[in-house]
Each structure stands twice: as C-alpha cells, then as structure tokens.
Amino acid sequence: MEITDEILIDLYKRMVRVRLFEEEAGRLAESARLPGFLHLYVGEEAVASGVCGALESQDQITSTHRGHGHLLAKGGDFNRMMAELMGKSTGYCNGKGGSMHICDLDLAMLGANGIVGAGVPISVGAAYANKLTNNGLISVAFFGDGATNIGAFHEAANMAAALSLPMLFVCENNEYAEYSPRHKTMAITDVIERAAAYGFPGAIVDGMDCVAVFEAASLAIEKIRNGEGPMMLECKTYRFYDHVGVKGTASNYRTDEEVEEMRKRDPLVVHETRLIDSGVMDAESIQAIKDGIQKEVEMSVEFAENSPFPELEDMLLDVYTNGESS
Amino acid sequence: MSSDNIFEGANEASSDEANSAERKLGYGAAVVETLAQIMREDESVFVAGEDVGAHGGVFGYFRGLQPEFGEDRVVDTPIAEQAIIGLGIGSAVQGLRPVVDLMFMDFICVAMDQIVNQAAKLKYMFGGGAKLPLTITTAGGAGLSAAAQHSQSLEAMLCHVPGLKVVMPSDAYEVKGLLTSCVREDNPTVFIINKRKLADTCHVPEELFEIPLGEGHIVREGSDVTVVAIGRMVDEAKVAAEKLSNEGIDCELINPRTVQPLDIDLMVESVSKTGHLVIVHEAVRFGGIGAEIAAQIQEQAFDYLDAPIERVAAPFSPIPFSPVLEKQYIPDAERIVAGIKNLF
Amino acid sequence: MTTVGLIANPLAGKDVRRFTSAASLNSDRSKIEILRRCVLGAIDAGAEKVLLANDFRNLGLRAVDGLNLGSKIEEMSFHPEGRRTDTTEAAKIFKKEGVKSIISLGGDGTQRDLVLGWTDAPLLPISTGTNNVFPFMVDPTVAGTAAGLIASDELIIEEVSQRAKVIHVELPNGIKDLALVDVVLVDDRLTGSRAVVKPDSVKQVLAAIANPASIGLASIAGRSKPVYFDDESAVSVICDPKAKQGVFAPIMPGSVSDVGIVDIKEVELGETIELNGPGVLAFDGERDFVMGENESAKATVLRNGPKVINPNFAVQTAAANKVFLRKRNS
Ligand SMILES: Cc1ncc(C[n+]2csc(CCOP(=O)(O)OP(=O)(O)O)c2C)c(N)n1
Ligand SMILES: [Mg+2]
C-alpha cells in the first residue's frame, strides 16, 4: 500500500469537508437556525477521514451521536445533510431523523445513533451478512471511549470475535464521555485492552494524524478482508468543542489550557504542513480546496433553507414497510 | 444549542421569590432541593448516574449535590444503564436507599432487564424477603427536537410490570412531594421528570412533604366533562379547560400524579358526575395509559357514560425530528379542545 | 539517599505492529504487575527509596497501591503529557535527583527516549515493547533486587554494568538525535503510523547491536553480519528489493521477510556514516524524521551510552559476595 499524492490530497479533502461543514453547522446552531442537539466532530476529522479513506465504497459503517463526520468522510452530500439538520423534507431522513440519525444507505452508512454503543452490534450484523454472502466487504463500527463501558459494545465485541467476522472496531478515544473524564469511568486507559480481552488484536494510533490513521486502518483492513477476524483501531483524539453545541472553553470539566494544547495538534494543520513540506500542494492550492468546499457548504445552507418542511400527512409514512401505521 | 443553555434556569429559584409571600421554585430546582434535604436527614440515600456528580446532571437538576455530599454519595457512573440500575437494586437490597438516574427516559430500554426482570420482581420471587427502596429518575417527553431516541414517553411499558410504581409530576410542587414519597417508599419507583418543564416555577413549601403515591388530584372542578391529563399534559389541559369554560363547557381536570398505582376511584367518582371522559397523554395512543383508564372506567362507571371515551394522544409513529412534525405530534391544548368537543 | 528510579512507558507494545505481525499487546495491567515486583525487589534489597516517574497512566502509583511503603515511595513532580518526551523529561529528573539505578519498562524506543534525557544513566531496561533488542527479559523481582543492591551500595555499578554503544545522529537541520540499536533509512516520505512495516522499504540499516536472535530491523544486519553489545564495532547494510542476494530477517514479531541486500560492511566506532535522503529515518524501529531529496544525516557510533546493568550477572555477583545471607535474630 503506497500512500500516493492522490491519497494525501484525498484525505485532506475529506477532512476539510467535515471541518467546514461542522463549523457552519455550529454557527447555525448558535444563531438558533438549527433545531435539536448538535454533537460536533471538529478536532476528530483525521479519524473518520483516515478510516473512510481506506475503505471500499460499499464497506458498511455504523456511527454514533457524533456522526456527521463519518457520513461526510464517506462522501456524504452537503445538501441532504444540511437539509436534515434543519428538519427539511429534502434531508437524508426526510427530516424525520435529524443530526443524531443521519444515514445514507447508498454509501453503506448505516446511521448515526442516539443510543451510545448501539451501532456496534448493528455493525456485527452487517459483517455477518458480508461473511455469509461472501461479498468481500467489511463493516466498521465507530464508537467513543465512553461507549465501551456499555454492555452492547461488549456483547458485540465478543460475538464478532467468536464468529470471526470481517469487522473493524474504531474507537475514537477523545478522553471524555460528555463531561466525565475517561479516568473516572474506567480503570484502563487504552480501549484496545478490551479487544485483547475478547481475543482479537488492537493497536493505538495518533488520531490527530490522518496519515497515521489511514495507514493503520489499511493494514488492519487488509487482514480483515483476508478473513483474519475482527480488529480494533484506537485513535487518540480530541473534540475541540463542547459535548453538545459549540463553545468548547470555560467548561467545568476540562481546562482551556488543555483545549489550547490539543488545538496545536489540529489534524488539518498537521496535514497541511505535511502537504506543503513534502511539496504535494502549495498554500494556494490548499486555499483553493478550502474555498471550493466552503462555497459548497454555503450553497447547502441555501438549499436547506429553501427546502420545504415535511408534509404533515407524512407523519405516519415509513413506520412500516408496505403499509401505513394508523 | 448547548445543553448548558437549553436548560438554563432549570435550577434557579424564581426571582420574584423574595417579593412573593409564597415561595416559588423551579421544577428542576425542586429535584435538587428535595434530594439535598432527604440526603441530609437520611444517610442511606445516595445518588448515582451519568454526569450527575461533577457536572450536576445534563439537565442541571443534580447541581450542587456532589459539592455538599461528596463523590461517594453522588456518584458519577460510566455509561452503563444496566449496571446503574443493578447498582441501585443491589444496594437497596442491602438496606440503602439509592436514587439512580437514567438521564433520558429512552435509555430505560437499555436497562430493561434490570428494571423489569430484576427490580420489579425480586421481592415477589424471593417470597417477600427482599425490600427494594429504589428510586429511578429519568427525563421523558418530547418538544426539544431531540428526535426518536431522546423524546419518548414510555410510562405505559413500565406500568404493565407488576412490582413497579410509576410517578409523573406535573409541576414543581409535585416534584417535591412525590420525589420525597418515592425515596421513602420501600418499592422500586420510576420518577419521570418532564424535560420541557424544568424552568417552570410554582409555589413549593420549604420543608419536605409527601404526596402519597396512588392519589390523584383534582386540578379544577367542573360538571360537564372529566379530563384526565398526565404529566406535562396537565398544563395543556388547563389551557383547554379555560378556553372551553368561555364556550360553556365546564371541565373537571384530574391529574393522576402517579400512573401506577392509578387512582381510578377518583376518576370513577368524577365520571359519575360528568358523564364524559377525555384522557390526555403525550405517549402514543395505542396501548397507552389512556387505554387502561378507559377500560377500567367502562368496567366501573359504564352506566354513567353519556358518550364514548375520548383519547387525545400521540400518533402511532416514532417521534419525528422536524419541528413542524414534532409540533403536530405532541398533543396540545388545541387538540384537547377538539377532543372534548367531539363528545358534545 | 539510596534511591532507585522506576519508569514505565504506558504506550510501549501497543502500536500497529499488532495488526501486521503476531506482536502481543503489553497491557497496562501487566506493566503494573511488573512495576510492583520491581518495587518489592528493590526495597527488599535495601533501597531506601523508589522514585516513581509519574507516567500519564499513573501506572507507577497504581503499582504501589496498598503496599503501605510510606515515605519509601516518592512520586516525581512533573506533568506527563502522554508523549515520547515524557520519558526524556523523567530521565532528566532522575539525573538531577541522583538516583543510583533506573529500571525502565519499554522496548528499544522507550530506552532511547530515556537515554536522550540522561546519556550515561545507570540503566536496567526491562522489555515490555514490540522490539526488545536492548532491554532484558528478566523476572522483575530479580531486576528490582539488582537495582536495589546497586542503590544501597551492596554492588558497585562498574562491576555489574557495561557502557552501551550509542548511534549519534546529526540531522540535516542540525538537531542531534540518537539510537541505541539501529538507525534505518526507509524509502518513504511519511512517518505515518511510525512503525516500519514494509520490509521492501528498507534502504539502509546502521546497527550498533545486530543480534541474529533478536527481532526488528537490526535483525537484517544481525543475520548478515552479527555485532553484539560487547563488540567494538557496528555494522551497515545497504538494502535493495532488486538485489541478487537476500537475508531472511524477522523485522517484526512472527514476521520473517526476505530482504534484498547489496552491501554489508563493518563500521568502526567513531567512523561517520552518511544516510542520504530522500527517505525517512527510523530510530530504533520508529519512523521519525523525513529527509528531502538533497538532505543527509551523519551517524557515528560511540561507546558512551548508558551503564547497562545486567540483572542476572548482578544478582549472581551478589550471591558470590554472600550478600543475601543475613543474620537472624534468634
Ligand atoms: C445509552 C445511552 N446512555 C447515555 C447517553 C447520553 N450520552 C450521549 S453521548 C454520551 C457520551 C458518549 O461518550 P463517548 O462514547 O466517549 O463519545 P464522545 O461523545 O466522546 O464522542 C452520553 C453519555 C446516550 N445517548 N445513550
Ligand atoms: Mg469520548
């Protein structure tokens, strides 16, 4: 696996897509133009981008409450994303799911999730389908550090291992679950120790570096596709904003200095520096990428704002397949 | 929107408290005040849940407890709903009086075995040997665009399980009186806090007091129709009743306060006076508490009914995210008015 | 004060080589247990104090939990950040505090980070890494005993230790770095996940210790022309996937590769070797520094490294000196 210029640029674009969309969503939320809870992914872009960059387009992923980044890094559409966040009928879920339930089955993104840990067993199911139909695909479960304290994660990990399923567990260890620091809720630091407990390999990688994530994910994926059973990649990362919403500083659970320190390792800046230093891109072409994507983001806001809300008579539509609820 | 500012004010006493002869307190603030007072008088009470300690709860209604009672009596737990309930059950059986929190009511589903198969049944299965003074607090209700997994009203599922008591305070006064009863109660109770009510204030006595579990309350007397409204729907029903009184329909509004046990006698008495019954709840209509109340009323007051029983409740779908759909989804005063008018 | 320094790298033995090879996970729990045995061995052997480097996992403090050793345990006052530099910073403090011996848990990379902070540290390295050419596989209780005996002057360090060789590297940007086992030039332009996992990417290996019986990039040299800890020389191997000749070397645990080699040569101590870019320099197994087209680094091997304490030999020496025979109160 050679990491070509093309890959380096691709990883960068994926991260910029996530970052600029998320920043815009944050601004919209702050000015009360988005309803509901917004869990921003800013700071963690290298994880989704590095992993999704290493996948085949039809490999499935399951996501979390912090799911925008996963869908966008897999190639999600800005318009349908933004429309969904606004609850419009043109959104990914026709306005019925919102931020916490965005999905794109065509991109094999099996949904963000409002229930912590709940996506992991679903990924087991997708991996099982892959194995049974021998389609050569793998499934990936993204989950937080906090999610690994819940039963669903443990049952899923054990089952994936016991059935030797083609599945990659990706832990986004950002050191906090809501407002609780990791050390107060687990007696271990590295979630990969939990993979070892269920009998499959895990490795730690710098989750603020998309190339490190991409390379590590690629190494694991190759083996998983080869039939070697599940593996876990733990990405040490950090969310720059608050658990919900934007702010990010002046919190009662982490210091501003800590946030400041981690912002110095901003995954976009780390990668931009590398692109420039290695001569893959210059500052202008980097800016051009950003400008282009920013424009798309702005257009998505316009698209979403001009889109209609769902029709009231569609309330009961899609409760069941083939037939309406009453 | 951040959880910090959504729920701002949830924890503050009303600002006109000083001017008013009657002390007013917020619905969320009543949770903290009650727990603090109980914890001061009863060492065996402790609180546990996700982010209830250092952060004071994501809705703010545990704020201030950990500074006063320390980390051992106000415990920040891992994200582990089953183990949180188990922590409550095991320590209750050992003689403590735990208050364990499940943050959003939707998360009871993650802990259903511990609630339904364990907490509810231990005493019976053990031939009466165990006592379970366990309180489960959780926030239910829609209206914050929190979508299908953070908005549900699942009380009917719990009421169906023998062994549990299910409590739904409609204002800050009831929060204090009912929560006190729950914590002092020797059976497992689920105390459902409505997350849209947190900042609402009303008169609440300073001292602890108990509202007995299983006793409903007549919010408004009337002669034409009995309206039974549950939880936050009491507010909507009050508005509806006011509106209808101008149109010559006199509503008697009953707030059951607890849905298990259910004060059916109060409702029978009222219906035998009014001859009409409308039941209002936020949960879906099919299999909701309204169905149980309707069944019991026809069993016990069939002869008094002048019209079919009307239910005003949510349609049979998950809770939609889009604000326009959600608004349509949640029963409100307007729909209650329409429901009542159907009877005449 | 007769003090033993104790440090563990929490991240040792947890990188991507767990995907690419049969490397095992070295869990925090196993490190805690090793540390605990080290402490008990050292105190029992007469150390008055154990100075714990507080890694960001608190492995050290967790290891002494419940031992009730009171003032015999001291926690170093510095704030670890969870990075490589923690080990280097802790080493500087060990030096300042004048500890008489240091037990250090980690692989080759960890020991290198430590030596970056204290070049001639009295070092007893224990292997908990992925590649463990430099550190010893030893029961930690015995390691603790050896370190404790040195701290309490029951053993003279010069008699039970040996200076290690160090590969000193001057990077193109003028910064000085070092390696204890090998410096490898890799055909790459990214540090990526740091570990060197592609055998064909190895262009040049300069090894101070090249043992045919050990794991890692140095085994390419070790299985071509061994150089041992004691040998007053080093070895350089030029590799090329298209070479006519190959060597079978375990560059990762359980992963033996056929690496093409075009040239093998002995390197004298003091001699300067050039490593020419483009490529990435890997120090003791980790890709660390990216070199451009016209950049090159200069490497020199000298025997001026840490005083490496051989735990088995130390304890054997102590036994010969009848150190362990103590009078009993009747
Ligand atoms: C079953 C369940 N319990 C609790 C919550 C509330 N909650 C939402 S996110 C979160 C923290 C999750 O932490 P982590 O898994 O580390 O993900 P992060 O937010 O750090 O990305 C919690 C407790 C939930 N949504 N579902
Ligand atoms: Mg987290």
Side-chain angles (χ1 to χ4, degrees):
Chain A
M1 164 222 34
E2 162 108 38
I3 304 184
T4 58
D5 284 7
E6 233 174 349
I7 291 175
L8 292 177
I9 296 169
D10 173 71
L11 292 174
Y12 182 63
K13 284 186 181 157
R14 285 176 203 260
M15 291 201 295
V16 175
R17 276 171 59 77
V18 178
R19 172 67 58 90
L20 296 183
F21 182 91
E22 291 285 76
E23 295 282 7
E24 188 68 40
R27 279 191 291 273
L28 291 170
E30 290 218 300
S31 54
R33 285 157 76 194
L34 291 187
F37 304 138
L38 193 69
H39 301 91
L40 293 177
Y41 196 69
V42 174
E44 308 187 11
E45 292 90 345
V47 180
S49 303
V51 172
C52 291
L55 292 175
E56 297 295 334
S57 69
Q58 287 308 302
D59 287 333
Q60 306 91 355
I61 64 172
T62 59
S63 165
T64 69
H65 56 287
R66 203 176 298 292
H68 309 167
H70 303 133
L71 178 46
L72 288 173
K74 206 157 191 285
D77 177 64
F78 283 157
N79 286 354
R80 296 183 70 194
M81 281 278 295
M82 196 57 95
E84 189 56 39
L85 298 194
M86 291 192 189
K88 298 300 182 74
S89 63
T90 51
Y92 263 120
C93 317
N94 305 336
K96 286 182 172 162
S99 163
M100 270 192 286
H101 305 290
I102 42 142
C103 67
D104 185 338
L105 299 179
D106 293 337
L107 291 176
M109 193 287 193
L110 307 186
N113 212 309
I115 301 298
V116 165
V120 192
I122 295 173
S123 219
V124 171
Y128 190 73
N130 294 339
K131 182 167 171 165
L132 204 62
T133 57
N134 203 12
N135 61 10
L137 298 175
I138 71 158
S139 81
V140 178
F142 289 96
F143 52 88
D145 47 317
T148 71
N149 294 328
I150 208 164
F153 163 83
H154 292 268
E155 295 183 21
N158 182 60
M159 190 184 284
L163 303 181
S164 189
L165 299 182
M167 176 168 170
L168 177 64
F169 288 74
V170 179
C171 179
E172 310 182 315
N173 187 345
N174 61 11
E175 295 290 320
Y176 293 90
E178 286 187 354
Y179 314 95
S180 292
R182 186 210 17 81
H183 67 85
K184 278 173 82 176
T185 53
M186 357 178 160
I188 58 165
T189 317
D190 302 315
V191 172
I192 52 162
E193 302 208 359
R194 295 191 163 161
Y198 294 108
F200 60 96
I204 293 174
V205 74
D206 178 1
M208 305 302 272
D209 179 350
C210 62
V211 174
V213 174
F214 173 84
E215 190 179 274
S218 303
L219 293 168
I221 289 166
E222 192 189 328
K223 302 256 169 175
I224 295 168
R225 242 188 255 291
N226 236 344
E228 295 189 24
M231 298 196 173
M232 185 188 292
L233 181 62
E234 177 176 1
C235 306
K236 302 285 188 184
T237 183
Y238 201 77
R239 76 174 142 69
F240 290 168
Y241 291 130
D242 267 342
H243 169 65
V244 183
V246 184
K247 204 163 66 60
T249 49
S251 336
N252 59 3
Y253 64 99
R254 62 183 197 185
T255 64
D256 287 0
E257 292 79 66
E258 180 184 303
V259 178
E260 202 49 46
E261 209 38 54
M262 289 308 291
R263 273 188 175 275
K264 288 188 194 146
R265 295 173 54 198
D266 186 327
L268 270 78
V269 177
V270 166
H271 195 46
E272 277 164 15
T273 309
R274 173 166 41 217
L275 289 171
I276 293 173
D277 287 356
S278 60
V280 176
M281 281 210 272
D282 56 19
E284 283 95 273
S285 38
I286 283 177
Q287 193 56 44
I289 287 182
K290 283 184 170 169
D291 291 346
I293 291 175
Q294 180 62 29
K295 194 161 243 124
E296 283 178 50
V297 170
E298 281 160 21
M299 276 159 54
S300 77
V301 177
E302 215 177 291
F303 171 83
E305 286 188 328
N306 292 332
S307 290
F309 281 110
E311 298 293 338
L312 294 183
E313 58 261 34
D314 287 345
M315 178 83 79
L316 298 181
L317 189 69
D318 294 328
V319 177
Y320 297 100
T321 301
N322 301 334
E324 281 206 2
S325 169
S326 53
Chain B
M1 203 193 289
S2 94
S3 59
D4 280 2
N5 57 35
I6 307 176
F7 310 114
E8 213 42 76
N11 209 21
E12 263 99 70
S14 158
S15 57
D16 50 27
E17 180 189 329
N19 321 337
S20 161
E22 292 201 318
R23 187 189 74 123
K24 292 200 168 183
L25 192 65
Y27 183 99
V31 177
V32 200
E33 179 177 285
T34 308
L35 290 174
Q37 287 175 324
I38 295 181
M39 290 176 81
R40 276 175 215 134
E41 68 169 38
D42 185 348
E43 290 249 300
S44 68
V45 177
F46 75 95
V47 177
E50 294 159 23
D51 283 315
V52 298
H55 193 70
V58 297
F59 298 104
Y61 48 65
F62 298 102
R63 207 170 285 158
L65 293 180
Q66 196 180 68
E68 179 174 352
F69 300 102
E71 293 185 9
D72 289 343
R73 286 185 73 198
V74 187
V75 188
D76 279 319
T77 66
I79 307 173
E81 281 74 12
Q82 296 201 60
I84 290 169
I85 302 298
L87 178 80
I89 298 171
S91 58
V93 170
Q94 287 304 111
L96 298 182
R97 228 165 246 288
V99 177
V100 294
D101 181 63
L102 288 185
M103 199 184 300
F104 284 80
M105 184 170 203
D106 314 70
F107 309 161
I108 63 168
C109 301
V110 178
M112 226 37 171
D113 171 63
Q114 291 287 318
I115 298 172
V116 174
N117 290 327
Q118 314 303 328
K121 300 181 173 50
L122 275 199
K123 182 178 185 70
Y124 187 82
M125 295 187 301
F126 290 3
K131 208 164 68 176
L132 257 115
L134 165 67
T135 305
I136 300 168
T137 55
T138 188
L144 299 178
S145 299
Q149 296 172 344
H150 284 73
S151 309
Q152 297 172 84
S153 296
L154 299 172
E155 64 276 3
M157 285 167 61
L158 297 168
C159 290
H160 192 61
V161 180
L164 298 177
K165 295 191 177 184
V166 183
V167 181
M168 297 181 72
S170 74
D171 64 17
Y173 174 85
E174 291 177 359
V175 164
K176 185 153 189 181
L178 292 169
L179 185 54
T180 307
S181 297
C182 284
V183 179
R184 290 178 180 165
E185 163 79 34
D186 283 341
N187 291 294
T189 55
V190 183
F191 186 83
I192 304 170
I193 295 164
N194 188 289
K195 50 176 133 18
R196 248 173 103 183
K197 291 274 312 165
L198 296 173
D200 292 358
T201 63
C202 72
H203 164 65
V204 180
E206 302 257 7
E207 328 67 51
L208 286 175
F209 64 96
E210 294 183 22
I211 297 177
L213 304 184
E215 272 184 29
H217 170 62
I218 299 178
V219 181
R220 179 190 198 281
E221 290 195 28
S223 54
D224 297 335
V225 56
T226 301
V227 178
V228 175
I230 295 165
R232 196 185 68 79
M233 287 299 116
V234 172
D235 290 353
E236 300 287 345
K238 274 188 206 161
V239 177
E242 277 324 300
K243 190 147 182 248
L244 285 170
S245 77
N246 300 330
E247 300 179 25
I249 300 176
D250 189 18
C251 301
E252 175 144 302
L253 175 55
I254 293 181
N255 166 10
R257 288 181 168 168
T258 66
V259 285
Q260 178 62 265
L262 188 64
D263 190 353
I264 199 72
D265 294 348
L266 189 68
M267 299 174 211
V268 168
E269 199 178 316
S270 175
V271 169
S272 46
K273 181 174 71 179
T274 63
H276 296 91
L277 176 61
V278 175
I279 308 153
V280 188
H281 53 65
E282 217 187 298
V284 296
R285 185 179 146 105
F286 190 102
I289 296 296
E292 178 62 30
I293 294 175
Q296 291 201 33
I297 290 295
Q298 71 79 25
E299 284 164 2
Q300 298 185 40
F302 186 75
D303 293 343
Y304 296 96
L305 286 171
D306 296 330
I309 296 167
E310 178 79 21
R311 286 180 287 161
V312 179
F316 201 58
S317 81
I319 296 161
F321 165 72
S322 185
V324 289
L325 290 182
E326 191 187 28
K327 185 165 182 311
Q328 170 79 4
Y329 182 91
I330 308 168
D332 58 9
E334 207 176 311
R335 274 168 59 197
I336 298 170
V337 166
I340 294 170
K341 282 185 171 174
N342 269 348
L343 299 184
F344 295 96
Chain C
M1 185 67 85
T2 65
T3 306
V4 172
L6 191 53
I7 182 167
N9 176 4
L11 286 173
K14 292 177 177 173
D15 73 10
V16 287
R17 281 170 288 186
R18 262 114 302 260
F19 292 157
T20 52
S21 67
S24 45
L25 173 80
N26 289 314
S27 71
D28 282 2
R29 193 66 231 165
S30 66
K31 288 172 192 166
I32 287 169
E33 280 145 14
I34 293 173
L35 287 168
R36 195 175 175 95
R37 284 184 270 167
C38 289
V39 169
L40 291 168
I43 298 287
D44 180 64
E48 285 169 26
K49 198 164 86 182
V50 174
L51 180 59
L52 292 175
N54 51 346
D55 63 84
F56 69 119
R57 304 299 174 72
N58 284 328
L59 298 182
L61 283 182
R62 286 156 68 192
V64 296
D65 225 13
L67 289 182
N68 294 322
L69 291 171
S71 62
K72 288 191 170 166
I73 301 292
E74 188 181 319
E75 194 198 355
M76 189 182 273
S77 63
F78 94 113
H79 293 289
E81 293 175 343
R83 303 200 212 162
R84 272 188 56 202
T85 44
D86 291 346
T87 305
T88 309
E89 287 311 304
K92 288 178 186 163
I93 296 175
F94 280 141
K95 183 176 185 179
K96 208 177 88 212
E97 296 289 322
V99 303
K100 296 252 184 90
S101 55
I102 300 172
I103 304 178
S104 162
L105 277 57
D108 295 335
T110 307
Q111 311 307 336
R112 164 194 173 220
D113 292 336
L114 189 138
V115 172
L116 274 167
W118 185 358
T119 322
D120 56 350
L123 179 62
L124 198 168
I126 297 187
S127 58
T128 62
T130 308
N131 292 342
N132 301 289
V133 177
F134 194 82
F136 295 100
M137 289 273 216
V138 57
D139 187 279
T141 324
V142 173
T145 305
L149 290 173
I150 290 167
S152 57
D153 290 331
E154 293 283 359
L155 288 174
I156 299 162
I157 178 126
E158 279 70 26
E159 289 177 2
V160 293
S161 73
Q162 255 180 309
R163 294 298 290 266
K165 289 176 278 190
V166 173
I167 309 175
H168 297 271
V169 180
E170 189 179 335
L171 298 171
N173 60 11
I175 289 178
K176 297 205 162 66
D177 208 326
L178 60 80
L180 294 173
V181 178
D182 53 29
V183 174
V184 173
L185 180 65
V186 185
D187 181 14
D188 205 336
R189 53 180 179 154
L190 301 162
T191 52
S193 55
R194 307 204 87 86
V196 178
V197 292
K198 287 178 285 184
D200 278 357
S201 68
V202 176
K203 285 164 75 171
Q204 187 177 357
V205 179
L206 173 61
I209 308 171
N211 187 334
S214 63
I215 305 294
L217 297 170
S219 70
I220 297 170
R223 293 193 172 188
S224 313
K225 182 174 170 52
V227 167
Y228 297 98
F229 187 99
D230 298 344
D231 290 341
E232 296 302 318
S233 64
V235 56
S236 163
V237 181
I238 308 290
C239 306
D240 186 340
K242 296 191 285 288
K244 294 246 157 49
Q245 189 188 0
V247 60
F248 284 83
I251 73 163
M252 285 176 283
S255 166
V256 180
S257 309
D258 178 6
V259 181
I261 49 177
V262 286
D263 188 37
I264 306 166
K265 90 176 179 84
E266 186 175 305
V267 175
E268 285 175 27
L269 299 194
E271 181 183 343
T272 297
I273 297 286
E274 289 213 347
L275 299 137
N276 297 319
V280 174
L281 287 179
F283 292 81
D284 290 332
E286 296 206 345
R287 278 176 286 165
D288 207 19
F289 188 85
V290 182
M291 285 199 300
E293 194 79 50
N294 298 313
E295 292 182 322
S296 74
K298 291 191 182 67
T300 316
V301 184
L302 296 173
R303 191 175 287 282
N304 61 355
K307 299 169 196 151
V308 178
I309 300 158
N310 181 327
N312 293 330
F313 182 72
V315 173
Q316 286 156 11
T317 307
N321 297 351
K322 304 210 184 320
V323 169
F324 300 114
L325 298 174
R326 293 176 202 176
K327 276 222 171 68
R328 283 182 163 177
N329 302 327
S330 47

